[in-house]
Amino acid sequence: MVIDGKEEQSIEPHTGMEFDSEKQAYDFYNAYGYIAGFSIRKQSSYINSKGIKTAVRMVCSKEGKTRKTKKQMEETIGGLIEKTPEKERSMQRSECKALCHVRLHKDGIWRVTSFYNEHNHQLVPNTPSKRRHLKSHKYLSMENRAKIELFSQHNVHAAQIREIIADQSGGKENLHFSKKDVHNHITRVKKSLVGVDVNAMLDFFRLRQQIDADFFFEVEPDEDNVAKNIFWVDGRSRRAYQEFGDVIIFDTTYSTNKYRMPFAPFIGVNHHQQSIFFGCALVRDEKKTTFDWLFKTWLKVMGGKKPNTIFTDQDPAMKVAIEVVFGKVTVHRVCVWHVLRKARDHLGVLYGSVKGFRDELIAIIDFSLTIEDFETNWHATLSKYEMEDNSHLKNMFKKRGEWAPAYFRESFCAGMSTTQRSESMNAATKIWLGSNTSLYDFATRFQKMVEGVYERESDEDFRTMNEIQPLLSGDVVEVEARKIYTRSIFKLLKGKIKKTIALRVREIERETLYEVRPAILKSNYTWFKPNRMVRIDLANAKADCSCKGFLYQGVLCSHALLVMRHVGMEPFLPKHYILKRWTRDANASTKKGLNDRCFVDNNLESVKRTALIKRIDTIMSTPIVLTAAFDWACAKLDEMMEELVEFTEAYGEDEPTKPNLKSIKREDDDLKFSDPPVSQCKGSRIPQRFKAPADVRDAKKMRTCSYCHKKEGHNMRNCPKKKEDDKARQQGETISIQNDKRKRKEPISIEDASEDESEFITEDDEDGEDDAYESDTVYGDEEDLF
C-alpha cells in the first residue's frame, strides 16, 4: 500500500526512535495511524525561551472529552432557555490514552520519549474506503486544489466538482476529501479577495493589456476613492465596432455579482446575425450622471463614432443621457417588447374580457407601414372596442414616436425592433455569473464568455467558407448572392425569394411604378393593406418599395426582388444594395494581429498541466493487451513519481505556480480603489403589488361579501348589513339567531336556515379579507407606466 507516494510501513513507533524533523515524526505517526485505523492530532507543543519548538505531543483524535454545547449545559443544569435551537453534536471523543511524545535533543535529532498504543474505542477496519474519512488522513493535493479553482471559475458547483474529480480518480473511494472540503476551499479563495476585489480585477485588466495592446478599461471613483463605475472593452470588440457599430442594444441586468452592481453591456450584431459585445460596464446606480459618464467613455474609446440606432428599455435617465451624448445623429428606439409587456400588465383584464382586442392591437403595431396608417388604424381600433378613454392606451399613443416600428421604417435596425438579443445575452451571462460572484471572478468569467462569442463567429466563418448552400430556383440574383453574402444572410435572402412565388405584379406606370399583391389574402383585418408599391429607376438600377424593407433590414425585400426580375433589371444584384456588414469579408479588419500576436498565458501552472495531460492522454490511448505490458507501464510510472518527488525536494520551486499580478510594471502602481458597497438599484428592489387603473378595477368581477353574500362590490369590513347589526347590538336590540351563531362559529340548524342556507363564517373570512386591490397606494408616475 502507498500513502502520499510513500510505501506503507508495518512497524510501529517505539521509545528511542529518531527522526530528522518534527514533520517527519508527525508523518510517520500519521501513516501508522492510517494502517492501524485511527486519526491523530497534535495536542500540545513546547517552545523554549529562544522561540524554538523542542517537544510535541501527538495523541489519538479521540483523546479527551467532547465539549458540551450551551444547550446541553442548560439541560444539565435544568434551566433550559427558550431560544433558537442549536444543532446537536455527537460525542467524538472517548478519553483515549494513546499517544506519541517526541522531543528535540541537542544533536538536532527528534526522538520518541514515550509511546502508548492502547485504544479504548473500536478502530476503523482495514479498508481504504473507510479509513479515508479519518480526519488527519483527509487532504487536498495541489493538483486537486488547482482543479477545484479551475472548475469554480467556470461556475461549477462544489458537489459537481467532487463528482468530476472522483471520475478522474477512479471512484469516490479514492478521494481523501469531502464535498464540504471542496466548498471550504472555494470559500477560502473567495475570502482572499475581501478588501482587494476591485484592485485584483484591475490587475487582471492590466494583465490583459500585456496580451492585447488595444484593451481598454477605466474606473470612476467617488469622493471616498471607492470604485463607483467600471468600464472595459477588448481590442477585437473595438475593431468590430467600426464594421458593425451601426446598431447598438443597451440594457442593464442584475444579480450578476455580490455587490448587486447592474451589468450594462453594449451589444451589436455581426455579419452572421450573431450577438457580439462592444464593451461592458458595472455601475453603482442608474442615474443620468452615471449613464453620461458611461456613454462618453464608450464613445471616446470607439473613436467618436456614434451608432445610427440604439435600442434601450424605457429608463427615463437613460433616455436623457442618450439625447445629451449622442444627439440627433443617433436614433433612439424603445424596445417594443417592453412596451407590450407593460401593456399586458395594465390591460391584462381587458385582454381576457374583450375578445380579439389584443391580437388586433399587436397587428396594428407590426403591420402598419406608414405613420398615417398606424395612427388611423390605432384610433379606429380603439373606437371599435370603445377604449378611447383608457389611460394607459393614451400614454402609449402619446409616446408612440419612441417605440412604434412605423416611425423607424427608414432607419437601419438590422431587422430588429426589440432588445431581445440583450435579454438572451443576459440569460447566458447568468449561467456564468451569480449573485455571489466577486468582481475579479466576474472579469475572468466574462472574458471566457467573450472568447466563446469569438469562437462561434469563427465557426460560422469556417462554415460560410467551406459549405456550399443549395439554390432554391437557380435565379441569377440567388447565384450572385451566394458568392457575396454570409451563410445566414443568404438563407434570409433565399427565404425572401421563396416568398415571391406567392406574389403577383401589376404595372401602374410603365417601367416606373408597380403594385405587388399576395395571391391569397390571409389577414382578417379590414384595415390591413396587403399591397406594396414598388417604384423602379432602371437608369440607376434602383427599386424603392413602400415597405422600406431594405432601409430597415439591409436586405432587399421580396416585393422589390419580384419587380426587379419582372422588368429584367441589370445588374441583377446592384452594388448599392449590398451592405458590406452582411458580406463574407465584413470582419476582416477585426482579426488584425490575431495570428502574429504573442499570447502569454496568465497561469503558468495551467500551461504546464496542459502539456503533461497531453502526454498522459497519449499513454492512455495506447492499447495495452498483455498483462506484462500493463505491469511494465505501472512500474515505469511509479519510478517516475519517485524521481519527480526527489527532484522537487532537491531543487524546490524556482518558479511561481500562480500568476503574480502585482509584479506587472505599470505607471499607476500606487493607485488603489476600495471595494464598492452593495448597490440599491431598481432591479434589486422587492417587487410591489401593482395598482391597476380605475377603469381596469371597474371591469373586474364584483366581490361576494362573506357576511350578506351579495355581489355589491363590498366585503365584510364595510358591509352595510353588518354595520346595521352592530348598531342594533349596541342599542340592545335582538339579533337574528342565524347571525349570532355565525359570529360564534356555530353550525346553523335546519330551523335557523329559513332565510339563508349558507355555511357559517370562519375567523379567516372575518379577519383575512384581501383588500389589496382596493389599496390607495400608487406606485410610480402615470407618465412612466408603459
Side-chain angles (χ1 to χ4, degrees), residues 391-399 782-783 785-786:
S391 58
H392 182 72
L393 292 175
K394 286 182 178 179
N395 286 331
M396 286 180 64
F397 187 76
K398 181 179 179 181
K399 298 186 178 182
E782 190 75 12
E783 294 293 328
L785 287 178
F786 73 93

Side-chain angles (χ1 to χ4, degrees), residues 302-582:
M302 297 303 177
K305 179 183 177 181
K306 298 179 180 180
N308 298 335
T309 307
I310 183 170
F311 285 86
T312 68
D313 59 13
Q314 295 170 285
D315 193 304
M318 198 181 295
K319 174 186 174 183
V320 175
I322 289 174
E323 292 176 353
V324 172
V325 178
F326 297 106
K328 296 182 179 180
V329 177
T330 301
V331 176
H332 178 207
R333 284 196 61 177
V334 172
C335 172
V336 178
W337 180 81
H338 283 88
V339 175
L340 294 178
R341 186 185 64 175
K342 289 196 175 183
R344 179 195 63 192
D345 295 339
H346 288 77
L347 307 174
V349 176
L350 295 179
Y351 281 165
S353 59
V354 183
K355 186 177 180 180
F357 172 68
R358 173 182 176 275
D359 295 336
E360 189 162 352
L361 184 67
I362 295 176
I364 291 173
I365 296 172
D366 291 341
F367 301 140
S368 296
L369 298 180
T370 64
I371 296 175
E372 293 77 13
D373 288 344
F374 174 79
E375 294 179 354
T376 302
N377 298 336
W378 180 279
H379 291 303
T381 302
L382 264 61
S383 176
K384 174 183 176 181
Y385 292 98
E386 299 180 355
M387 299 291 182
E388 300 95 327
D389 298 329
N390 185 279
S391 58
H392 182 72
L393 292 175
K394 286 182 178 179
N395 286 331
M396 286 180 64
F397 187 76
K398 181 179 179 181
K399 298 186 178 182
R400 62 193 181 281
E402 298 178 0
W403 58 269
Y407 290 81
F408 303 96
R409 286 291 176 184
E410 297 186 3
S411 301
F412 179 72
C413 300
M416 296 183 296
S417 60
T418 69
T419 59
Q420 195 61 42
R421 287 182 179 271
S422 179
E423 300 294 339
S424 300
M425 278 290 194
N426 293 342
T429 300
K430 290 179 180 179
I431 297 175
W432 288 81
L433 309 170
S435 56
N436 295 321
T437 306
S438 64
L439 295 183
Y440 174 76
D441 287 339
F442 186 102
T444 55
R445 293 179 187 180
F446 180 76
Q447 182 61 33
K448 298 180 186 299
M449 282 188 59
V450 173
E451 291 172 357
V453 170
Y454 295 153
E455 184 179 7
R456 288 193 295 272
E457 180 179 322
S458 178
D459 291 343
E460 194 63 27
D461 283 340
F462 179 82
R463 296 188 66 181
T464 298
M465 181 177 60
N466 290 275
E467 294 181 5
I468 300 176
Q469 298 300 312
L471 296 176
L472 178 67
S473 62
D475 188 271
V476 180
V477 174
E478 193 179 2
V479 174
E480 293 295 322
R482 184 171 65 174
K483 300 176 183 178
I484 298 171
Y485 288 127
T486 60
R487 194 172 66 100
S488 59
I489 300 301
F490 175 69
K491 286 183 178 180
L492 177 64
L493 181 66
K494 191 165 63 171
K496 295 181 180 296
I497 294 175
K498 185 178 181 180
K499 289 181 180 179
T500 60
I501 301 174
L503 299 177
R504 301 293 180 265
V505 181
R506 185 170 69 91
E507 187 178 65
I508 305 298
E509 297 179 17
R510 182 174 176 78
E511 297 184 352
T512 302
L513 185 63
Y514 293 85
E515 181 187 52
V516 179
R517 60 181 177 80
I520 301 175
L521 181 62
K522 297 181 180 179
S523 178
N524 297 323
Y525 303 115
T526 57
W527 49 263
F528 181 70
K529 299 178 181 179
N531 297 351
R532 301 290 183 264
M533 305 304 294
V534 180
R535 187 169 294 275
I536 292 295
D537 183 0
L538 288 176
N540 297 313
K542 290 186 178 180
D544 184 16
C545 181
S546 60
C547 74
K548 307 297 181 183
F550 177 77
L551 296 177
Y552 187 76
Q553 195 172 23
V555 179
L556 282 169
C557 62
S558 57
H559 319 105
L561 288 169
L562 178 60
V563 175
M564 289 167 65
R565 182 200 303 157
H566 179 77
V567 300
M569 181 180 290
E570 294 184 2
F572 303 104
L573 191 60
K575 291 184 178 180
H576 48 264
Y577 285 126
I578 302 174
L579 295 187
K580 183 184 176 182
R581 69 161 355 267
W582 296 134

Side-chain angles (χ1 to χ4, degrees), residues 69 81 105 129 166 237-238 362 389 395 452 488 494 519 535 615 680:
T69 62
I81 302 174
H105 292 264
S129 60
S237 296
R238 294 173 68 180
I362 295 176
D389 298 329
N395 286 331
S488 59
K494 191 165 63 171
R535 187 169 294 275
R615 288 167 171 77
Q680 296 294 332

